[in-house]
């Protein structure tokens, strides 16, 4: 029988989970402070329970003295995102970090599991500084959307309750629920795209309006007072009607008149 001091064995894993949780939470708050979009919604982490480590070692035929290399998720970090697109950004951020090494990735989003499970996994090597020196430990980072997490959490507790014998009808219903979670993610992504598109359009419209008003103002420098007044009243009507196509035409006309006026001044000066 293997006698192991589990408390000592798990220490570097506990430190890894604590440090990585702080690092990813910091990334979220730093981006928020910079008023940039944070692709991370929240972060959790855990050290696998001893009973779960033993179960997994048995399932994967990992000898007791090879747990450190044979079981990748003794230290587990989970990063939740609002949108599927955020997962790619988080993965890029993790790959770029200098304080860990990504060993491999498992994309269960493109290739979701038979159960209906979807998530992006990264197995990393993380150097922890212990009292006895540096130790490199394996850790698993799961990156998923809120919908993927909702599904996986419920499925995990049901699978745990029923162990191997999950009734077929429940298994089938869970799979269907997984598809519904996928549809929800797709729908949320498209709503997000529409919102971003609307924001971009609003920015464009407001830029055009500013350009028209600046150009009309410049007409006064060339003593084109009557023209400026005429353009200003056309602007007022267009603004009232919120007709951005007419606003673009107006901008072109004012710019045209301005460049003619500039040309005349240049010719006069030569
Ligand atoms: P398992 O995997 O069956 O051995 P706290 O004190 O608030 O930090 P709390 O309330 O126990 O801790 O929550 P914790 O530790 O964050 O997570 C509890 C459960 O959430 C775990 O169940 C895991 O199923 C799951 N979990 C949270 N984060 C992760 C993660 O990064 N990876 C994995 N694989 N699971 C995670 P068990 O039964 O304790 O763990
Ligand atoms: P826990 O209790 O969450 O820690 P294998 O089981 O051999 O196919 P392996 O090598 O363990 O795979 O890695 P895999 O498949 O990438 O899964 C690692 C973890 O992903 C699991 O850890 C779960 O946390 C999660 N996971 C994978 N498949 C499913 C699934 O169908 N449903 C849910 N809810 N989670 C899943 P553990 O150790 O199995 O469990």
């Amino acid at each position: 029988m293997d006698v192991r001091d589990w408390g000592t064995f798990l220490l570097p894993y506990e430190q890894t989970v604590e440090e990585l949780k702080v690092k990813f939470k910091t990334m979220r708050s730093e981006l928020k402070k910079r008023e940039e979009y944070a692709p991370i919604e929240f972060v959790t982490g855990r050290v696998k329970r001893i009973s779960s480590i033993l179960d997994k070692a048995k399932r994967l035929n990992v000898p007791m003295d090879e747990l450190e290399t044979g079981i990748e998720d003794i230290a587990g970090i989970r990063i939740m995102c609002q949108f599927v697109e955020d997962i790619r950004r988080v993965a890029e951020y993790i790959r770029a970090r200098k304080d860990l090494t990504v060993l491999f990735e498992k994309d269960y989003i493109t290739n979701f599991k038979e159960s209906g499970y979807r998530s992006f996994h990264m197995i990393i090597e993380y150097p922890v500084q212990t009292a006895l020196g540096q130790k490199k430990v394996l850790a698993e980072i799961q990156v998923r959307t809120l919908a993927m997490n909702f599904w996986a959490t419920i499925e995990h507790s049901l699978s745990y309750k029923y162990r191997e014998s999950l009734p077929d009808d429940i298994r089938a219903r869970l799979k269907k629920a997984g598809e519904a979670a996928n549809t929800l993610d797709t729908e949320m992504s498209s709503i997000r795209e529409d919102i971003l598109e609307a924001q971009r359009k609003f920015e464009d419209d407001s830029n055009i309006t500013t350009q028209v008003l600046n150009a009309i103002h410049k007409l006064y420098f060339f003593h084109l007072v009557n023209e400026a007044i005429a353009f200003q009243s056309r602007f007022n009507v267009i603004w009232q009607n919120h007709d951005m196509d007419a606003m673009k035409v107006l901008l072109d006309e004012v710019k045209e008149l301005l460049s003619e006026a500039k040309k005349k001044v240049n010719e006069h000066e030569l």
Side-chain angles (χ1 to χ4, degrees), residues 47-66:
V47 174
K48 212 172 180 63
R49 283 177 306 179
I50 297 169
S51 60
S52 303
I53 297 176
L54 293 176
D55 282 347
K56 196 158 182 169
K58 199 165 145 200
R59 184 162 59 81
L60 302 180
N61 275 327
V62 176
M64 278 300 125
D65 55 354
E66 288 175 26

Side-chain angles (χ1 to χ4, degrees), residues 5-257:
D5 179 354
W6 283 99
T8 315
F9 175 74
L10 292 178
L11 267 177
Y13 295 98
E14 279 157 13
Q15 191 176 335
T16 299
V17 168
E18 286 315 308
E19 288 184 13
L20 289 175
K21 275 204 294 194
V22 169
K23 287 179 177 187
F24 291 116
K25 285 179 183 175
T26 308
M27 183 213 171
R28 174 184 155 79
S29 51
E30 186 194 335
L31 286 169
K32 290 252 160 190
K33 273 189 196 131
R34 289 180 196 273
E35 293 192 9
E36 282 174 37
Y37 176 75
I40 294 176
E41 189 57 23
F42 66 91
V43 180
T44 64
R46 63 94 182 90
V47 174
K48 212 172 180 63
R49 283 177 306 179
I50 297 169
S51 60
S52 303
I53 297 176
L54 293 176
D55 282 347
K56 196 158 182 169
K58 199 165 145 200
R59 184 162 59 81
L60 302 180
N61 275 327
V62 176
M64 278 300 125
D65 55 354
E66 288 175 26
L67 292 180
E68 292 176 23
T69 47
I71 299 189
E72 302 145 354
D73 67 340
I74 297 179
I77 291 290
R78 200 170 270 171
I79 300 178
M80 266 56 67
C81 310
Q82 288 186 7
F83 299 101
V84 180
E85 293 73 18
D86 298 338
I87 295 176
R88 197 166 25 89
R89 287 183 59 191
V90 171
E92 276 164 16
Y93 172 80
I94 294 172
R95 285 183 207 118
R97 288 193 74 103
K98 298 275 186 280
D99 55 350
L100 55 84
T101 312
V102 177
L103 299 182
F104 55 93
E105 300 176 354
K106 300 183 193 172
D107 183 355
Y108 296 130
I109 293 174
T110 318
N111 314 298
F112 52 87
K113 285 194 152 189
E114 180 54 28
S115 59
Y117 178 76
R118 291 180 308 132
S119 240
F120 191 82
H121 292 191
M122 303 175 95
I123 308 300
I124 62 155
E125 189 176 62
Y126 183 76
V128 270
Q129 311 301 322
T130 73
L132 302 175
Q134 175 171 291
K135 184 173 170 52
K136 287 184 176 172
V137 300
L138 293 182
E140 179 191 70
I141 306 178
Q142 302 179 340
V143 195
R144 44 167 81 156
T145 62
L146 297 170
M148 292 174 193
N149 189 49
F150 176 46
W151 181 89
T153 306
I154 305 234
E155 196 265 358
H156 186 273
S157 59
L158 288 178
S159 301
Y160 190 79
K161 187 174 166 197
Y162 288 100
R163 291 276 169 156
E164 311 303 302
S165 57
L166 198 66
D168 283 347
D169 68 315
I170 294 192
R171 202 185 298 276
R173 283 162 73 188
L174 276 171
K175 218 173 159 176
K176 259 186 113 178
E179 284 157 21
N182 190 21
T183 309
L184 179 63
D185 271 335
T186 312
E187 186 60 15
M188 286 305 184
S189 289
S190 76
I191 290 174
R192 177 177 185 245
E193 266 313 305
D194 285 351
I195 289 171
L196 290 177
E197 178 62 34
Q199 280 171 346
R200 276 194 290 269
K201 193 169 173 340
F202 177 80
E203 277 297 309
D204 287 351
D205 289 357
S206 106
N207 281 343
I208 291 168
T209 307
T210 311
Q211 283 182 49
V212 172
L213 289 174
N214 286 341
I216 292 176
H217 185 67
K218 276 191 192 149
L219 290 175
Y220 287 98
F221 297 134
F222 297 99
H223 307 293
L224 296 166
V225 179
N226 290 338
E227 289 83 349
I229 292 170
F231 275 129
Q232 184 68 50
S233 18
R234 268 177 66 193
F235 171 87
N236 293 346
V237 175
I238 291 170
W239 177 252
Q240 282 289 329
N241 297 335
H242 205 81
D243 182 351
M244 289 317 292
D245 288 331
M247 192 68 92
K248 282 178 197 147
V249 173
L250 183 68
L251 179 61
D252 288 342
E253 285 183 35
V254 185
K255 277 183 167 172
E256 173 80 30
L257 184 59

